[in-house]
Amino acid sequence: MEIINPLAQGYAERYSSGESPLLKDIADFTFAHHPEAHMLSGHVQGKFLEMISFLQRPRRILEIGTFMGYSALCLARGLEKDGRLHTIELREEDADVAEENFRRANWQDRIILHRGNALEIIPALEEVWDLVFIDADKVNYSEYYKLVIPRLSPGGLIIADNVLFHGQVLEKEIKGKSAIAIQAFNEMIREDDTVEKVMLTIRDGLMFIRKK
């Protein structure tokens, strides 16, 4: 199911601030060469993440799911001067590309790339997070949330991507393990009264979760 009308998407891109040359190059390369290019945050969502980061001015950001490094580069723009962004990628080939993109952007000293299973890596990161972006395997969204929420600063923000999961959560009968997992995650967030939350219909759905 096409959630966003392509004409509306194109219109939004036309009236949004443009991508940097590097981000455009990353996007062009991804769509030309990667079989799962649809996973890229892209122009409008990337600019939105950048704006949120600038508004919040976080010291510590955690990104779960690096992919090509596009969203990390957007989020890192709003870091405080002494800030750091930690990002986790399971797939070695994608991590190699992201690492090179961070070097090209001269962000390699402030974006720390971890390779491996996020469920194992997150508990070992002794940080208090101001901003968390969840955009990895959908079946573990709930587990990622449980790991990061105790270490989210008061007023801190979690952003979860793909919470509409290509429209599959809108079906009368939800099928597929990823769609079922996303629906369970959405239900869990709805019932959590320790946070404020709002679901936005940007791209494939973004859930904003603010710790009270």
Side-chain angles (χ1 to χ4, degrees):
M1 179 187 296
E2 192 75 57
I3 296 295
I4 302 299
N5 185 306
L7 293 176
Q9 179 67 25
Y11 190 87
E13 291 177 2
R14 189 158 69 249
Y15 287 95
S16 298
S17 297
E19 295 171 294
S20 70
L22 175 58
L23 287 178
K24 188 176 187 309
D25 185 60
I26 293 171
D28 290 346
F29 175 86
T30 304
F31 280 98
H33 299 286
H34 202 291
E36 296 180 292
H38 64 277
M39 292 168 52
L40 196 79
S41 282
H43 179 188
V44 173
Q45 180 170 302
K47 184 58 64 175
F48 185 73
L49 294 174
E50 177 187 308
M51 282 199 169
I52 291 298
S53 186
F54 267 115
L55 288 169
Q56 193 184 34
R57 304 301 296 184
R59 289 190 65 254
R60 292 292 182 268
I61 300 175
L62 174 64
E63 178 184 57
I64 307 171
T66 313
F67 195 42
M68 301 288 98
Y70 188 105
S71 52
L73 289 170
C74 295
L75 289 164
R77 291 286 309 281
L79 280 169
E80 287 282 11
K81 289 183 179 180
D82 63 343
R84 296 289 184 274
L85 184 151
H86 292 257
T87 184
I88 305 170
E89 178 54 51
L90 178 64
R91 299 186 291 195
E92 286 290 341
E93 187 173 346
D94 290 348
D96 288 342
V97 175
E99 191 167 56
E100 173 61 16
N101 288 332
F102 299 152
R103 186 197 64 76
R104 292 169 65 196
N106 200 29
W107 277 94
Q108 68 273 20
D109 294 333
R110 299 183 66 192
I111 298 179
I112 302 165
L113 175 63
H114 304 269
R115 299 166 183 253
N117 188 326
L119 294 175
E120 299 171 357
I121 293 170
I122 293 169
L125 300 177
E126 298 181 0
E127 299 281 4
V128 175
W129 307 112
D130 302 307
L131 176 58
V132 177
F133 183 45
I134 303 176
D135 189 18
D137 56 307
K138 312 312 166 192
V139 296
N140 281 315
Y141 265 38
S142 294
E143 295 306 313
Y144 296 143
Y145 180 79
K146 292 173 186 176
L147 284 175
V148 299
I149 193 67
R151 294 163 71 174
L152 189 68
S153 60
L157 183 66
I158 297 173
I159 305 173
D161 198 6
N162 304 114
V163 292
L164 294 175
F165 201 70
H166 318 301
Q168 292 181 32
V169 295
L170 308 178
E171 301 293 338
K172 185 174 182 180
E173 181 182 357
I174 300 174
K175 300 177 181 179
K177 64 179 183 180
S178 292
I180 290 171
I182 287 293
Q183 180 63 24
F185 171 79
N186 292 340
E187 293 284 352
M188 180 182 70
I189 300 305
R190 183 175 68 172
E191 298 303 318
D192 187 350
D193 60 7
T194 69
V195 297
E196 295 286 345
K197 72 283 291 189
V198 60
M199 184 181 291
L200 304 178
T201 53
I202 295 175
R203 196 167 167 264
D204 195 30
L206 290 174
M207 179 78 85
F208 272 55
I209 306 160
R210 182 180 63 82
K211 191 172 185 179
K212 293 180 181 178

